[in-house]
């Protein structure tokens, strides 16, 4: 066992275990000053207020097996005597922001009220410190910076897009707007094959069936992987379309999961476009304000269920009196070309759900 320290090392911390769960386990032994979740390693580091508090906790859980949400966790002293900012950034959540108040007292009040609070239930704990800067210099009003005292600032530097995913941060970082939801959905990691570093938010879709495709059907398909800003069918190439996603991470999910998928008898070719965004115009259909964009709410849940198309569809929010025959008839109406046999299982208790818009149904066969 390592030398006694006020930093405690916890192993076998599964993705279902939250910061609050760990706090509840160790708070009976004293105050907790810092907490770091190492999701990629299924571990955590906690810093107690002093060494005696840590000794009491480790000794108690040496004799009594601690369990969180049905999972045994294992407690020992850490080789760290103190958690540093570098240790805290090891969580993979090192996203930072600067906020300037109109007075020092307001800044002090905000820090006192919000330090240590979670943005979402059980994750994204705020670490708030005073900055060394006396004044913020804001040049643009957009999703990455804003001067609330000067609404007349431009939205972007000339020649650069202000769309999410094309800010100054560049590649190597998950998009700020979805960072919390991504962390919650994937437990601090990412699905296999997803880098999280893409900053291109527009996707080129080729080999479409021009006789059956339209913008709304593309929206229904691509909105499974993120919010849609706008869609454009190319006049000079009827089997091509451009889809602008909410940010680069959402675009990467769409490319990864839809490449080579079959749609209306054609195998899709989905790649990142050389165009940073779709220019507004008569040929481009706007979806940015559509209430059918499902990642505006419950983003973490929807990210969690992203996958390649399969032959199984899960429906939610069905009326209580719906029958299997009505469901079968509805889907057979939109699968008339294939005449496949449908198997319907109606669940009386649903543990999870992915909303499916049936306004403009589409047909997707498994890869």
């Amino acid at each position: 066992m390592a030398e006694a320290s006020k930093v405690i090392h916890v192993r076998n911390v599964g993705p279902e275990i939250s910061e609050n769960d760990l706090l509840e386990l160790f708070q009976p032994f004293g105050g907790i000053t810092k907490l770091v979740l190492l999701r990629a390693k299924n571990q955590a580091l906690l810093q107690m207020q002093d060494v005696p508090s840590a000794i009491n906790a480790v000794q108690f859980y040496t004799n009594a097996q601690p369990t969180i949400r049905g999972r045994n966790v294992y407690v020992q002293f850490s080789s760290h005597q103190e958690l540093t900012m570098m240790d805290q950034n090891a969580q993979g959540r090192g996203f930072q922001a600067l906020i300037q108040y109109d007075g020092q007292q307001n800044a002090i009040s905000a820090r006192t009220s919000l330090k240590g609070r979670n943005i979402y239930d059980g994750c994204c704990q705020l670490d708030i410190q005073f900055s060394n800067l006396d004044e913020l210099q804001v040049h643009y009003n957009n999703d990455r910076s804003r001067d609330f005292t000067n609404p007349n600032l431009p939205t972007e530097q000339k020649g650069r897009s202000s769309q999410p995913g094309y800010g100054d941060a560049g590649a190597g970082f998950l998009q700020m707007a979805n960072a919390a939801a991504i962390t919650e959905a994937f437990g601090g990691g990412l699905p296999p094959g997803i880098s999280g570093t893409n900053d291109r938010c527009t996707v080129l879709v080729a080999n479409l069936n021009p006789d059956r495709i339209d913008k709304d059907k593309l929206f229904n398909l691509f909105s499974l992987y993120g919010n849609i800003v706008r869609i454009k069918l190319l006049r000079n190439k009827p089997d091509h379309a451009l889809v602008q996603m909410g940010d680069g991470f959402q675009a990467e999910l769409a490319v990864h999961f839809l490449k080579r998928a079959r749609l209306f008898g054609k195998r899709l070719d989905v790649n990142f476009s050389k165009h940073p965004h779709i220019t507004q115009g008569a040929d481009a259909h706007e979806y940015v304000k559509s209430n059918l964009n499902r990642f505006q709410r419950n983003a973490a849940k929807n990210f969690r269920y992203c996958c390649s198309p399969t032959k199984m569809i899960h429906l939610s929010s069905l009326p209580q009196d719906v029958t299997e025959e009505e469901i079968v008839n509805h889907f057979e109406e939109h699968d008339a070309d294939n005449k496949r046999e449908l198997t319907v299982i109606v669940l009386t208790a649903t543990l999870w759900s992915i909303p499916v818009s049936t306004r403009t149904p589409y047909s997707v066969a498994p890869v």
Side-chain angles (χ1 to χ4, degrees):
M1 181 175 292
E3 179 185 352
S5 162
K6 61 182 177 182
V7 180
I8 297 175
H9 180 209
V10 187
R11 295 179 291 113
N12 200 34
V13 179
E16 73 279 8
I17 296 176
S18 68
E19 291 175 341
N20 283 343
D21 293 327
L22 291 167
L23 291 174
E24 290 178 2
L25 190 67
F26 288 94
Q27 278 176 339
F29 302 95
I32 299 172
T33 59
K34 295 177 183 177
L35 169 61
V36 177
L37 277 175
L38 304 172
R39 289 296 191 188
K41 298 180 179 180
N42 283 350
Q43 299 176 15
L45 296 171
L46 297 96
Q47 181 172 312
M48 305 296 291
Q49 62 185 7
D50 52 38
V51 174
S53 298
I55 291 175
N56 289 337
V58 172
Q59 288 181 343
F60 180 84
Y61 289 127
T62 299
N63 299 317
Q65 174 63 56
T67 302
I68 304 177
R69 298 184 182 270
R71 177 191 288 260
N72 289 342
V73 296
Y74 304 96
V75 175
Q76 64 189 49
F77 290 115
S78 170
S79 58
H80 296 266
Q81 291 297 314
E82 185 93 16
L83 286 180
T84 65
M85 183 60 69
M86 183 178 295
D87 297 319
Q88 295 179 69
N89 286 341
Q91 296 179 90
R93 302 179 311 163
F95 301 102
Q96 301 180 6
L98 293 170
I99 301 173
Q100 179 179 336
Y101 281 85
D102 58 357
Q104 186 181 53
Q105 189 56 49
N106 288 336
I108 294 173
S109 298
R111 182 178 183 271
T112 302
S113 300
L114 296 176
K115 183 175 174 61
R117 301 289 296 273
N118 292 336
I119 297 177
Y120 295 94
D121 185 26
C123 75
C124 304
Q125 188 178 48
L126 293 174
D127 181 18
I128 304 175
Q129 305 294 338
F130 292 115
S131 171
N132 293 326
L133 299 176
D134 295 324
E135 191 86 14
L136 289 183
Q137 299 296 323
V138 176
H139 302 288
Y140 309 104
N141 285 339
N142 53 38
D143 290 338
R144 295 193 55 79
S145 65
R146 186 167 300 276
D147 187 341
F148 293 93
T149 66
N150 186 3
N152 298 320
L153 287 177
T155 59
E156 62 186 75
Q157 183 179 353
K158 187 176 181 180
R160 298 192 65 174
S161 168
S162 64
Q163 293 298 329
Y166 276 83
D168 294 330
F173 297 93
L174 296 177
Q175 280 66 33
M176 293 287 289
N178 285 318
I182 293 166
T183 298
E184 182 181 348
F186 302 123
L190 290 172
I194 300 296
S195 70
T197 62
N198 172 62
D199 62 355
R200 294 167 291 178
C201 56
T202 303
V203 172
L204 175 66
V205 190
N207 203 35
L208 294 165
N209 186 332
D211 296 327
R212 301 190 62 182
I213 199 63
D214 60 39
K215 296 167 186 171
D216 284 340
K217 291 173 182 175
L218 280 174
F219 172 86
N220 275 359
L221 178 57
F222 278 82
S223 65
L224 294 172
Y225 306 99
N227 292 325
I228 307 300
V229 177
R230 57 183 65 96
I231 294 176
K232 180 179 181 179
L233 298 178
L234 304 185
R235 288 184 177 181
N236 57 338
K237 294 181 178 179
D239 64 340
H240 284 59
L242 291 172
V243 179
Q244 182 178 339
M245 308 291 291
D247 60 33
F249 179 74
Q250 297 174 15
E252 186 177 13
L253 289 176
V255 170
H256 178 76
F257 288 121
L258 290 179
K259 186 183 284 289
R260 306 296 293 163
R262 293 188 66 85
L263 176 64
F264 297 132
K266 307 275 282 186
R267 194 173 290 278
L268 298 179
D269 186 11
V270 185
N271 292 289
F272 298 109
S273 171
K274 64 181 180 180
H275 301 285
H277 61 275
I278 301 174
T279 304
Q280 292 178 319
D283 293 339
H285 192 87
E286 298 288 329
Y287 290 97
V288 68
K289 296 182 179 179
S290 172
N291 59 9
L292 295 177
N293 270 321
R294 65 189 68 202
F295 288 79
Q296 293 172 350
R297 297 179 300 275
N298 297 324
K301 182 182 74 173
N302 288 311
F303 277 133
R304 191 178 302 125
Y305 297 122
C306 287
C307 64
S308 298
T310 71
K311 61 184 179 181
M312 183 175 294
I313 298 175
H314 183 241
L315 304 179
S316 64
S317 302
L318 292 171
Q320 290 291 330
D321 57 349
V322 71
T323 65
E324 294 184 16
E325 183 180 4
E326 289 173 321
I327 297 174
V328 169
N329 290 340
H330 178 78
F331 279 92
E332 285 183 341
E333 177 185 348
H334 298 286
D335 195 33
D337 293 343
N338 298 306
K339 300 294 186 183
R340 294 188 179 94
E341 181 180 352
L342 295 176
T343 301
V344 177
I345 301 176
V346 177
L347 305 178
T348 56
T350 302
L351 297 181
W352 54 268
S353 62
I354 303 177
V356 176
S357 168
T358 57
R359 184 185 60 160
T360 53
Y362 54 83
S363 170
V364 181
V367 176

